[in-house]
Amino acid sequence: MSTPRRNRVTPFGEIVATPLRGAWLGNRGILHEGTRIVRFHASDLWITCALSFRDWHLAQWQPHHFTVLFLHDEAVSLAAGHRPCALCRRREYDTFRRAFADSSGMPLPSAKDLDRRLHSERIVRGTHRRRLHGIPWPEVPQGSFVVVDEAPCLVTEDALVSWTPLGYGPGRPRRTAGDAVVLTPPTSVAALRGGYRPQLATPEPPILPGIAP
């Protein structure tokens, strides 16, 4: 097997090399020179695209074209700070922004509105450091990622499922008291509260009640 390239995205938004397959394609602009990642992002546009769309073909590491990244599943992509693409995933994009509007009580956002909000929520301005958000445990929706013992965990109805660069690991009981350290940006958390259901990797973690595949 060939050595994995550095083009996979973790829930923290980091770009790493791992053999883990991706269900989605990520776009943050032109991040590479040759086959090396030289920057973290190129703009506030971070989107999650389908692996195939029409008859388009995207070459890896193509000069002057956006860097093709891969995301394990959609819960990981939301935690990293990406949103559904308005072109190749129009139905999911519209569902996402309606769910956000319904949950937050705010007007239906445009793509630019979402990008500005998400960019301010996912990293500390002027740095590459991730912003983390405190939310009471009972208010954390399924499909979010939280940080427990410095590691990312997927939140389900009654469990926390650990994630590693090789995929999902064992689960533990979900906490019910105190504040969670939430990795998924608040805009995406609002969409999840409003009914948006992200795709999850197959095979699924052992305890995932209430989340659609």
Side-chain angles (χ1 to χ4, degrees), residues 68-159:
V68 177
L69 304 173
F70 294 99
L71 300 139
H72 183 209
D73 65 15
E74 195 175 14
V76 169
S77 78
L78 294 178
H82 290 242
R83 64 158 175 85
C85 175
L87 176 61
C88 64
R89 302 186 63 210
R90 186 72 193 193
R91 181 178 65 180
E92 291 82 2
Y93 165 75
D94 285 337
T95 301
F96 181 89
R97 62 194 192 119
R98 281 197 301 268
F100 166 77
D102 290 345
S103 174
S104 66
M106 299 178 66
L108 195 68
S110 67
K112 289 188 179 296
D113 293 334
L114 288 174
D115 294 338
R116 283 193 292 265
R117 290 182 59 90
L118 287 168
H119 199 59
S120 70
E121 295 169 353
R122 62 189 164 224
I123 58 176
V124 177
R125 185 174 181 179
T127 76
H128 294 160
R129 289 187 292 114
R130 278 305 303 264
R131 288 190 63 187
L132 302 175
H133 306 272
I135 302 176
W137 273 107
E139 298 178 15
V140 181
Q142 297 181 64
S144 302
F145 264 85
V146 296
V147 180
V148 179
D149 297 331
E150 300 184 358
C153 292
L154 175 70
V155 177
T156 73
E157 183 178 30
D158 55 8

Side-chain angles (χ1 to χ4, degrees), residues 155-172:
V155 177
T156 73
E157 183 178 30
D158 55 8
L160 302 175
V161 183
S162 63
W163 187 93
T164 76
L166 296 179
Y168 288 108
R172 68 184 83 178

